[in-house]
Amino acid sequence: QVQVQESGGGSVLAGGSLRLSCSISRSDGASSTSCSHDMEWHRQALGKSRRLVARLYRSGTAYVMSDLQGRFSIYQDSALNTLDLQMNALNPEDTGRYYCRVVWYDRCVNWPDTWGLGTLVTVSS
């Protein structure tokens, strides 16, 4: 069984930075899977719909949503199967729970998309 876990959330003042990390692990303790996958960061503010923040395709192509470019960046460690989200110049509108999602391909294409439980980011002015 595969699990996705987010970490790195917390409370910061406006203008500050946080780095979130998403990791994939297996119930047997291994960190890797033999299936290619996309990894995504989403966020959900209180009372609002969940939205895509950034995506790393299995090809290695990555993008951050246009309204967050310049402040948010993603970094991959393929050996560890982690995807970090670096967030700079945070403002109160960035407050929310940040989730990681994994979309599977190859022989794992029938696996359901795997979500983590999220990590909470609070930005105060």
Side-chain angles (χ1 to χ4, degrees):
Q1 184 177 2
V2 176
Q3 294 179 324
V4 173
Q5 185 168 14
E6 305 90 343
S7 62
S11 297
V12 295
L13 294 175
S17 298
L18 281 174
R19 189 175 181 108
L20 309 182
S21 186
C22 170
S23 61
I24 304 174
S25 61
R26 297 182 348 193
S27 57
D28 60 3
S31 63
S32 65
T33 68
S34 60
C35 302
S36 61
H37 50 271
D38 298 344
M39 296 180 73
E40 301 172 345
W41 278 102
H42 296 249
R43 74 181 185 189
Q44 186 168 21
L46 189 63
K48 295 188 177 181
S49 300
R50 195 173 299 187
R51 60 156 292 186
L52 180 66
V53 171
R55 184 167 191 168
L56 174 69
Y57 289 97
R58 55 180 172 158
S59 63
T61 301
Y63 71 84
V64 173
M65 297 303 286
S66 58
D67 62 318
L68 300 174
Q69 290 177 7
R71 297 193 299 123
F72 288 20
S73 303
I74 52 175
Y75 299 91
Q76 181 196 24
D77 186 325
S78 56
L80 297 178
N81 245 339
T82 61
L83 183 67
D84 286 2
L85 178 66
Q86 177 67 42
M87 306 185 295
N88 299 324
L90 287 163
N91 59 63
E93 288 71 38
D94 297 316
T95 294
R97 182 167 288 274
Y98 285 69
Y99 298 88
C100 183
R101 181 175 85 150
V102 179
V103 180
W104 303 100
Y105 298 94
D106 304 327
R107 66 181 183 88
C108 305
V109 67
N110 292 321
W111 291 6
D113 295 348
T114 308
W115 289 89
L117 297 178
T119 185
L120 185 62
V121 171
T122 304
V123 185
S124 55
S125 56

